[in-house]
Amino acid sequence: MVTKVIYKITYPNGKIYIGKDLTNTFTYFGSVNADLVAADFSPEQRKSITITKDIIFESTDTKEINKREVELIKKYQSNNPEIGYNRWPKFSS
């Protein structure tokens, strides 16, 4: 069975994105909205960028991964535009 993961990407500005990878591909960095991220960085800043990818949950059960992804987005508040780049589920303060 393939281990599936939920990861947290942290950008240099401190904002985060949480996503899942059902294939646990080492080089996968998610499907964050590129326009949202680019808007936070100048053209000069975009020339060299370092991001961090942390695996924050692992499971072989796809249903569990899907459920936990939403829970972790809410826990880390990565759907809050001031904190992160997730736009689903909709943030409510």
Side-chain angles (χ1 to χ4, degrees):
M1 284 199 141
V2 174
T3 299
K4 299 146 181 43
V5 298
I6 299 173
Y7 56 83
K8 180 178 76 164
I9 303 292
T10 306
Y11 292 87
N13 61 1
K15 286 189 175 184
I16 61 174
Y17 176 79
I18 292 178
K20 66 184 172 199
D21 182 356
L22 301 179
T23 61
N24 198 5
T25 303
F26 178 67
T27 57
Y28 182 68
F29 282 84
S31 54
V32 65
N33 183 316
D35 292 335
L36 287 176
V37 178
D40 283 344
F41 296 92
S42 71
E44 188 63 30
Q45 290 172 316
R46 292 183 217 166
K47 289 182 179 179
S48 177
I49 185 169
T50 301
I51 64 171
T52 303
K53 178 181 177 182
D54 296 294
I55 303 301
I56 57 175
F57 186 77
E58 298 175 292
S59 177
T60 57
D61 183 341
T62 301
K63 288 182 182 179
E64 183 178 23
I65 286 286
N66 291 337
K67 178 183 174 199
R68 290 297 303 249
E69 179 187 24
V70 175
E71 291 172 358
L72 290 167
I73 288 169
K74 290 177 180 178
K75 175 184 175 183
Y76 285 93
Q77 294 188 352
S78 62
N79 58 342
N80 176 342
E82 294 182 16
I83 295 173
Y85 293 112
N86 289 89
R87 292 300 173 258
W88 176 89
K90 186 143 178 82
F91 177 72
S92 59
S93 52

